[in-house]
Amino acid sequence: YWTACEKAQNTIPRAMHPFKPENIYGTDTKEIEIKEVTFTNGDGEQSDTFYTGESLKVTVKFCSKSQTENPLFRLQIFSNTGILVYGSNTSRIKMDTGIITGDGVMTINYPYLNLLEGDYYFTIGIWPDEYRSTMTDIAYDCHQWRYIIRIKSHRENGAGIAYNNTEWKLENNGRTVEY
C-alpha cells in the first residue's frame, strides 16, 4: 500500500503538477524552517551549473522553533518535464536525526553526478515523518521545485537523463577494440 501511495505521489507531487507547488491539503507548519540552500562544486564554489561526473554538495541551513524528534529530511530531483529522477530521505537511508532544536545544517554530498545535460529542479523539505507525510502532504517546510541546476555533458557521456560509466569491447576477425 505504501509503495502505491509513494508512486502516486511521485507521479503528481503536491498539487497538480507541473510546477504548481500549492498544497491542496494545507500549508507547511514552519515548525522547522529552511533558511538557506546552497549548491557547491568539488572546489567548494557555489554554482548552479555542473558537469556530468562532477561532485555536488547541497547544504540546507534550517532553524527549529522547538524541540522536534527525528524529523525527516527529503531531497528530490525532477527533470524539466516533471519526471522524478531521484529522491531520497533520512528515513530511507536509516538516518536517525535525533532531537532537533535551534539552528542546524544538513549536508547531502554527491561525489559523482550521473545526470546528463539538462535543467533539473530540486525539491528540498523537512517533514514530520515518512508515512504521515504521505497521507497529509503537510511538511514543516518544503521548497517545491524551488532550486534549478543546469547539467552540462560531453557528447561521449551519452544521451538521456542518466550517465552510466561503461566499457565497450569489440572482437572480430582476430582483432579487439576496446573503449
Side-chain angles (χ1 to χ4, degrees):
Y1 173 73
W2 292 115
T3 301
C5 289
E6 184 174 65
K7 284 181 181 175
Q9 189 176 34
N10 289 343
T11 305
I12 307 175
R14 287 214 160 187
M16 288 307 294
H17 209 313
F19 309 111
K20 289 176 137 185
E22 303 87 26
N23 186 347
I24 60 174
Y25 301 106
T27 57
D28 295 340
T29 67
K30 303 293 186 190
E31 290 173 44
I32 303 175
E33 193 168 353
I34 297 170
K35 295 295 187 180
E36 180 183 15
V37 175
T38 57
F39 297 83
T40 53
N41 61 26
D43 296 327
E45 300 167 341
Q46 286 190 24
S47 183
D48 62 359
T49 303
F50 298 85
Y51 282 87
T52 300
E54 191 174 22
S55 65
L56 165 67
K57 182 167 74 171
V58 182
T59 304
V60 181
K61 294 182 180 178
F62 62 89
C63 181
S64 178
K65 295 178 181 162
S66 61
Q67 286 190 349
T68 307
E69 187 175 347
N70 202 26
L72 178 135
F73 290 78
R74 177 180 290 150
L75 183 144
Q76 296 172 313
I77 304 172
F78 293 86
S79 71
N80 61 357
T81 58
I83 295 171
L84 178 65
V85 175
Y86 171 81
S88 192
N89 63 54
T90 52
S91 177
R92 282 182 184 267
I93 64 169
K94 298 179 179 13
M95 179 182 188
D96 185 348
T97 56
I99 295 178
I100 303 291
T101 186
D103 293 331
V105 178
M106 175 62 81
T107 304
I108 304 102
N109 188 37
Y110 297 91
Y112 184 91
L113 276 173
N114 71 339
L115 298 173
L116 288 175
E117 186 143 344
D119 292 337
Y120 293 89
Y121 294 75
F122 280 66
T123 294
I124 297 170
I126 307 171
W127 301 78
D129 61 45
E130 189 165 31
Y131 301 110
R132 186 172 59 186
S133 301
T134 301
M135 302 304 283
T136 65
D137 204 25
I138 296 177
Y140 293 129
D141 197 4
C142 183
H143 293 185
Q144 189 87 11
W145 302 302
R146 190 171 298 180
Y147 309 98
I148 304 169
I149 67 167
R150 170 157 289 165
I151 302 293
K152 294 187 175 188
S153 299
H154 301 286
R155 188 173 194 286
E156 57 269 16
N157 292 136
I161 295 174
Y163 169 73
N164 288 302
N165 193 18
T166 57
E167 297 175 1
W168 293 62
K169 181 177 181 180
L170 168 69
E171 298 175 275
N172 178 257
N173 293 326
R175 70 181 178 105
T176 302
V177 179
E178 295 185 55
Y179 172 83

